[in-house]
Amino acid sequence: MGKAILGISAFYHDSAAALIVDGEIIAAAQEERFTRIKHDASFPKNAVEYVLQEAGLVAEDLYAIAFYDKPLLKFERLLETYHAFAPKGLSSFLKAMRVWIKEKLFIKKALRKELKQISNKVPVLFPEHHLSHAASAFYPSPFEDAAILTIDGVGEWATTTISHGSGKSIKILRELQFPHSIGLLYSAFTYYLGFKVNSGEYKLMGLAPYGNAASLETENFKKKIFEEIVDLRQDGSVILNMDYFNYAAGLTMTNDAKWESALRLARRAPEAALNQSHMNLALAAQQALEEIIIRLARTAKEITGSKNLVMAGGVALNCVSNSKLVNEKIFENVWIQPAAGDAGGALGAAFAAWHIWANEERKYISTDKMQAAYLGPQFDVANISRIMHKYGATAERYDSFEQLTSAISKKIADGKVVGWFQGRMEFGPRALGNRSILADPRNPAMQKQLNLKIKSREGFRPFAPSVLAEDASCYFENAFPSPYMLFVAYLKEHLRKPLVSFDEQTDMYARLNSLRSDVPAITHLDFSARVQTVDKTSNPKFWQLIHDFKKLTGCSMLINTSFNVRGEPIVCTPIDAYRCFMRTEMDYLVIENYVFDKTTQPEFVERTSLFEPD
C-alpha cells in the first residue's frame, strides 16, 4: 500500500474530504452531497468514510491528515478584529465566541474523535488556508511552473495571494489581508442585491448582462465603487472603505445607509422584483471585479515571469471574469481548479502535505490530474433495485450504452427533459455530465421551462451547453478546451439572430424570451454561454449521447444543468435522483442503463420540496 493522505475542509462552508495515495487523487467529495444540506459546514464524516472506502483503507492506514487551514491563526484574526472595531459588534462577538470555544479551537481533538480508529502516530497537519488553495490549483495542474492566484473571502488573515509554483515547491510572494477582501467585496454586492452570500454570487454574475453598459447610472455606480467604496491600486490590491461594510464586527455584510446614500439605490429585499437599477449595479460590480483581477494577473506575471497561471479560491468560479482574463492574453495558458472553493481546499491540503511536508517529488503530466473531476461515488445495479422496491418504480433496461444513447437522444430531440445519472459523481459545484439534467438547446421555450418547472429557480438564470470538444469551434468564437465549465465563450456571428430593440423600461423577461440565436436556450443576453467541452476519452457515454443527438439534429450540444432543484445539493445516490425526478416535471430519468419514464411511475407521495431556496 502506498502513502495515503486525507485532506479535510470543515466548519465554515462546503466541507469536503479528499484522499491522495502517493500523490495521485483517489477520491474527493463534498459533505453536502451525503447529508443533503446545501453548503454543509459540519465535519465531513460521510465524505471521509467514502474516500477511505474508495481506497480500501481505514483511518489507521493513513500516512497523514491535513486540515485546510490554521484554526488558531483564524481565531487570532477574529480576536484582533473585534478588538480593533470595539465597542461595535459585541453581539456578533459573543455569538462567534460560543461557536469557537465549543467547536473550532480544538479541531485536532475533534478529528481524532471523529476518526475513532486513528492513533496518535498519524500526524495531523494544518497548512494555511491560501496555501491549501494554491496547492489545489498548482499540483494537479498540467504545468511544471506557474504563477498562482488565489482569491476568496478570507482564510486566516489572507484574502488574496500571488504565489509561484515550480516543481514541488510553492512560494507565496504577495498577500492581501483582512478586512480588505476582493471576495467579500463581491459578496457585499451579492448581499445588497438581495441574494444569499456564499451561494448567490453566481446569480449576480448571471444578472450582470441585463445591465446597460452605456447607461449613465451604470457609469455612476462604477465611479462610486472606485471613488468611495474601494481604493483599487495599480497592482490589483484593494483597500476597502470599512465605513461601508459591516462584516468585520457585525452580523451583516454592508452598512446599508452608507451604500444607499452613495448609490442612490436601496438594498433589494430577498425575492423582491428586480428592476433595471439592480441590473446596472450587478454589471458595475462584475466589471469592477474584472478590472481588479486583470490588474492582479498582470502583477502575478511581472513578479513570477511564468507563462502559465493557475487559480483557486471561490472568486475563481466566476467564469465571466476568467474569460476576460484569458482574452487579455497576459498568460499563454490558464488552468483553474474545478473545485475552486473551500471544498477544493481539502484536496489542496492533502497535496501540500505530500509535496511540502513529506517533500515528495511531483510527477508532471501534460494533462491535469483531476480525472475530469469525476472523483465521487458511483453506484451498482443493487442501488437501482432499491428504488424499485422502495417506490414500486418501473424502468426499462438497455443492453448497451450505444442503444441507450441512441434512444435518449431521440427523446431529447422530441423536447423531453432527461435526468442523467452515470458513473462517478463530480467534485466541485459544476455538473459535468454524470449528475446532469439535459435538454435540447434549440428549443426557444426550454430555458423558461427548465427554470420554472424543473429547477424552481429565478427565470433570468442562463443554462450551460455541453458541446463535443471537436465541434466547439463551430459554435463559439476563440473556442478552447473547457472541460470544467469555468469559462464563457461567445456565440459565432452567423448563429445569432438580430436583436430586438428594447429600452430600459422593457421587462427583463421580455428581453430574456426574445429569440437570440439558433440555440436560444443556452444563449445569454450578451450572446455568451458557460461552455463545457466534452471529450470522448474522459466521458465516452456522455460524448456518445451528444454525438447521437448531433446525428439526429445536426446540433453538437445539449443543455447541461446540475441535477437538483433550487436549494438542493446536486444528487449523489440513485434514490436522490429518483426523488428529484418525481418532484419535478422531468420526463425521463436515466440511471446507468436503466430508463425511468415519468408516465409509468406510481404516484409519488413524498413532500413536493424538502429544500429552502438559496
Side-chain angles (χ1 to χ4, degrees), residues 463-478:
F463 287 101
S466 292
V467 60
L468 298 179
E470 61 270 30
D471 288 354
S473 60
C474 300
Y475 295 93
F476 299 103
E477 295 173 352
N478 304 314

Side-chain angles (χ1 to χ4, degrees), residues 144-186:
E144 289 184 281
D145 174 277
I148 309 168
L149 185 56
T150 69
I151 315 171
D152 67 2
V154 61
E156 296 88 1
W157 281 102
T159 63
T160 297
T161 64
I162 297 173
S163 306
H164 188 203
S166 180
K168 64 181 178 182
S169 72
I170 290 176
K171 184 177 181 182
I172 295 176
L173 303 173
R174 298 277 179 89
E175 184 176 292
L176 183 66
Q177 293 198 340
F178 186 86
H180 306 293
S181 167
I182 298 158
L184 291 176
L185 173 65
Y186 199 76

Side-chain angles (χ1 to χ4, degrees), residues 59-60 62-65 112 117-124 357:
E60 193 70 16
L62 293 169
Y63 182 59
I65 299 170
R112 295 198 184 280
Q117 297 166 299
I118 196 172
S119 74
N120 289 326
K121 294 180 181 178
V122 177
V124 179
W357 174 74

Side-chain angles (χ1 to χ4, degrees), residues 169-212:
S169 72
I170 290 176
K171 184 177 181 182
I172 295 176
L173 303 173
R174 298 277 179 89
E175 184 176 292
L176 183 66
Q177 293 198 340
F178 186 86
H180 306 293
S181 167
I182 298 158
L184 291 176
L185 173 65
Y186 199 76
S187 291
F189 284 105
T190 301
Y191 170 85
Y192 201 74
L193 284 165
F195 304 124
K196 282 189 178 179
V197 172
N198 291 328
S199 68
E201 284 78 5
Y202 56 92
K203 298 182 187 182
L204 190 160
M205 180 183 72
L207 186 63
Y210 292 90
N212 182 349

Side-chain angles (χ1 to χ4, degrees), residues 409-431:
S409 65
K410 290 183 176 70
K411 296 182 189 305
I412 296 173
D414 287 340
K416 305 303 183 184
V417 178
V418 174
W420 181 256
F421 184 109
Q422 303 290 327
R424 295 186 71 176
M425 181 178 69
E426 300 91 337
F427 182 52
R430 309 294 190 219

Side-chain angles (χ1 to χ4, degrees), residues 314-333:
V315 175
L317 294 171
N318 190 300
C319 55
V320 177
S321 64
N322 293 344
S323 299
K324 293 285 174 67
L325 175 57
V326 168
N327 291 337
E328 287 291 313
K329 301 188 185 303
I330 300 165
F331 291 90
E332 290 182 25
N333 306 296

